[in-house]
Amino acid sequence: MDEIDLTQQREECERAEALRRVRNSAADEDSPSPDGGEEPVICRDCGAPIPRERLAAQRQAVRCIDCQRDYDREQALEAKLYADGRAS
Ligand SMILES: [Zn+2]
């Protein structure tokens, strides 16, 4: 192995290290809970973190309150359309 190989290897190491640092700091920012350390639950529709209180009330929540309301309304509308369609 000559000098150039060693230099390249070192550069790759440093790049990987820098990447790891960036990933770690990004993960820290994403975590809303320094106490719990749990992964934040992300709204399936808008990608916003779902508030802890909502998850406490509804453990299976996959949407934030706003998106869930929209979703429920759409579901209700679809159910109504479906029922109307069957009736006629
Ligand atoms: Zn949402």
Side-chain angles (χ1 to χ4, degrees):
M1 190 178 274
D2 60 20
E3 186 63 30
I4 292 171
D5 280 341
L6 277 174
T7 307
Q8 275 181 348
Q9 205 176 39
R10 201 175 306 134
E11 272 176 358
E12 268 169 37
C13 262
E14 280 168 13
R15 208 168 16 233
E17 179 62 35
L19 217 67
R20 201 153 43 226
R21 261 201 301 269
V22 168
R23 287 215 190 98
N24 281 344
S25 65
D28 285 346
E29 268 176 44
D30 281 347
S31 170
S33 57
D35 51 329
E38 289 172 41
E39 285 284 306
V41 181
I42 301 300
C43 171
R44 183 180 285 183
D45 286 359
C46 73
I50 298 175
R52 206 154 262 276
E53 309 84 69
R54 171 157 170 70
L55 286 171
Q58 195 178 347
R59 288 174 58 86
Q60 301 304 313
V62 293
R63 292 176 183 83
C64 68
I65 292 169
D66 285 346
C67 291
Q68 185 65 53
R69 197 160 41 211
D70 286 351
Y71 179 79
D72 286 345
R73 197 158 44 205
E74 271 171 37
Q75 291 294 300
L77 206 68
E78 265 174 38
K80 184 179 180 312
L81 285 174
Y82 182 67
D84 287 352
R86 276 216 312 194
S88 61

